Amino acid sequence: MLVTLPSDKSKEIIEARSKLLTAPSPTIRTVSAVIGRLVATFSAVQYGPLHYREIEREKITALKRQSGHFDRSMKLSLSAKADLLWWIRHVSGASRPITREQHTTCITSDTSGKGWGATDGKSQIGGRWNEVEKLRAENNEINYLEMLASFLALQAFCANSTNCHVLLRLDNTTAVAYLNNMGGIKSLACNVMAKTVWAWCIQRDIWITASYLPGIANEIADKKSRQFDDQLEWMLNKDIFAHICNILGKPEIDLFATRLNAQLKRYVSWKADPGAESFDASTVDWSSSLFYAFPPFALISRCLNKIEQDCAEGILVVPNWTTQIWFPKLLGMLVSRPIILPRDKTVLSNPASGEPHPLHKKLLL
């Protein structure tokens, strides 16, 4: 059963928003009245909370600047006007279910100063923060990072999900409130993150509910946010990768990557990973795109078999180990002259720590 707005109410709201949108300098009182009408419709406009806080924030700022005088004028930014346009375009057909079906997926997430972790009850994932996220961790922006961890887990576990209800469990009450309320006023960063999460969900017709989980009961996600296998996260120097692409052509997909070491926007991870379009490269067709592959050394022979099986073509980075059993087959499959990379500690490094590969003095790629 759905709650909807009466047609006359929808018309009133559209007219009020239109007048405010065209007013060059509305009074703070007028803006406040429109905000009140918006909030009153939330029981029938399920995504309404995503599209009023910019107006509310600007009203609060103007009221402080005008020393509390509601009858003085203010101006609306382009962002605030964009929210008004959303109401004009969507309020007529908006609705909200009275009840929702039971969630089909439960995701638990957590953060630490080093990274994030999550589990859906079947799989466990996690990873270090990138450079930007690391700065937020150093600044103790824990509420934002808790929401980010939840979003990364959602992207990883629900990348191919649609039309479902997902329960997100976090041990941070502020993050829970921002997600359930579709944002907030106090923290701009948290509000932006909440809107980002919901925008991703709306595209897939996913409804999320966040609930608080005491930290003592969040052991698995907490552990994954602190313990990492950095030996799997090696990355080719970006300048060297660009040089290779200039010679051999720009590939379309990175077949062995994570969110930290992916060289290309499209990538395949070895397990569930936020941003990956698929996981486990052995299960995808390599012939559909010019690929880039820098596989774990133990998988090189299997990679050559996969390239041969799929009749694929791409860029493969491997050690120059001439005595390995796979090396003659590699030479027989070449379609261009191989590029020998310099033996230098900057060629291969860990993307999180910047540490060079332990074999950099001997390794020739």
Side-chain angles (χ1 to χ4, degrees):
M1 187 176 293
L2 299 176
V3 178
T4 59
L5 286 177
S7 58
D8 58 331
K9 290 294 183 182
S10 297
K11 186 177 179 180
E12 286 178 10
I13 290 170
I14 292 173
E15 289 177 353
R17 300 334 171 251
S18 299
K19 288 180 181 178
L20 183 58
L21 193 60
T22 56
S25 298
T27 64
I28 300 173
R29 188 179 302 280
T30 299
V31 175
S32 298
V34 170
I35 291 172
R37 285 189 175 185
L38 295 181
V39 174
T41 68
F42 286 173
S43 60
V45 184
Q46 65 177 352
Y47 297 124
L50 290 169
H51 302 282
Y52 91 100
R53 288 193 175 88
E54 190 62 36
I55 310 169
E56 173 74 11
R57 185 176 288 107
E58 292 179 14
K59 182 214 75 176
I60 293 172
T61 301
L63 199 58
K64 288 180 180 178
R65 187 168 55 245
Q66 299 295 353
S67 303
H69 294 287
F70 276 87
D71 292 319
R72 291 185 178 175
S73 299
M74 62 174 287
K75 290 186 178 295
L76 294 175
S77 67
L78 292 177
S79 297
K81 290 180 178 180
D83 279 345
L84 289 172
L85 279 172
W86 183 90
W87 282 91
I88 292 171
R89 292 169 180 168
H90 294 89
V91 71
S92 294
S95 63
R96 186 185 186 103
I98 294 177
T99 60
R100 296 192 181 276
E101 294 182 358
Q102 181 72 9
H103 64 268
T104 54
T105 303
C106 177
I107 298 174
T108 304
S109 61
D110 202 3
T111 67
S112 70
K114 297 178 179 179
W116 63 281
T119 177
D120 66 349
K122 296 174 287 187
S123 303
Q124 302 171 15
I125 59 172
R128 291 187 181 274
W129 299 126
N130 62 28
E131 291 302 317
V132 175
E133 295 157 359
K134 199 182 300 180
L135 289 175
R136 289 187 179 275
E138 291 172 359
N139 292 332
N140 201 32
E141 298 182 40
I142 189 63
N143 298 331
Y144 176 91
L145 292 174
E146 288 282 358
M147 295 173 66
L148 176 60
S150 187
F151 185 36
L152 294 174
L154 189 63
Q155 289 177 301
F157 289 127
C158 300
N160 299 316
S161 300
T162 57
N163 190 27
C164 61
H165 182 188
V166 178
L167 175 64
L168 303 176
R169 308 198 72 189
L170 308 86
D171 58 7
N172 181 290
T173 55
T174 300
V176 168
Y178 267 82
L179 288 171
N180 285 336
N181 295 328
M182 299 186 182
I185 295 296
K186 189 172 183 179
S187 169
L188 178 59
C190 288
N191 182 61
V192 171
M193 176 52 64
K195 293 183 71 171
T196 300
V197 174
W198 275 102
W200 187 89
C201 292
I202 290 169
Q203 288 180 340
R204 294 159 178 79
D205 194 20
I206 295 174
W207 184 265
I208 56 172
T209 300
S211 70
Y212 175 72
L213 178 70
I216 195 171
N218 201 8
E219 294 180 2
I220 295 176
D222 177 68
K223 181 178 179 181
K224 295 300 293 184
S225 74
R226 301 173 188 276
Q227 298 180 6
F228 316 100
D229 190 350
D230 290 332
Q231 299 306 308
L232 300 176
E233 289 281 349
W234 303 111
M235 183 179 185
L236 197 66
N237 181 287
K238 284 187 174 294
D239 292 334
I240 292 177
F241 176 74
H243 174 68
I244 294 172
C245 292
N246 287 336
I247 297 174
L248 301 178
K250 182 70 176 291
E252 298 174 41
I253 188 168
D254 189 338
L255 293 175
F256 294 88
T258 67
R259 65 183 290 261
L260 292 184
N261 68 5
Q263 297 280 11
L264 301 164
K265 185 175 182 180
R266 294 178 58 206
Y267 69 92
V268 178
S269 62
W270 71 280
K271 61 179 180 180
D273 184 278
E277 68 174 50
S278 186
F279 62 95
D280 188 355
S282 66
T283 65
V284 302
D285 180 9
W286 291 17
S287 66
S288 59
S289 307
L290 183 68
F291 69 80
Y292 166 72
F294 187 2
F297 299 155
L299 299 181
I300 293 174
S301 183
R302 291 174 59 183
C303 284
L304 294 174
N305 291 337
K306 178 68 172 173
I307 294 170
E308 190 174 52
Q309 173 187 324
D310 289 357
C311 298
E313 186 171 315
I315 299 172
L316 181 67
V317 178
V318 297
N320 189 30
W321 290 345
T322 58
T323 58
Q324 289 296 310
I325 192 171
W326 47 260
F327 198 79
K329 183 172 185 176
L330 171 70
L331 295 179
M333 295 173 64
L334 293 176
V335 295
S336 67
R337 186 181 182 85
I339 300 172
I340 304 299
L341 303 182
R343 186 183 281 118
D344 186 88
K345 67 178 182 179
T346 63
V347 172
L348 200 59
S349 62
N350 183 285
S353 65
E355 292 294 318
H357 194 282
L359 298 178
H360 70 270
K361 293 182 179 180
K362 300 180 180 180
L363 188 62
L364 187 65
L365 299 172

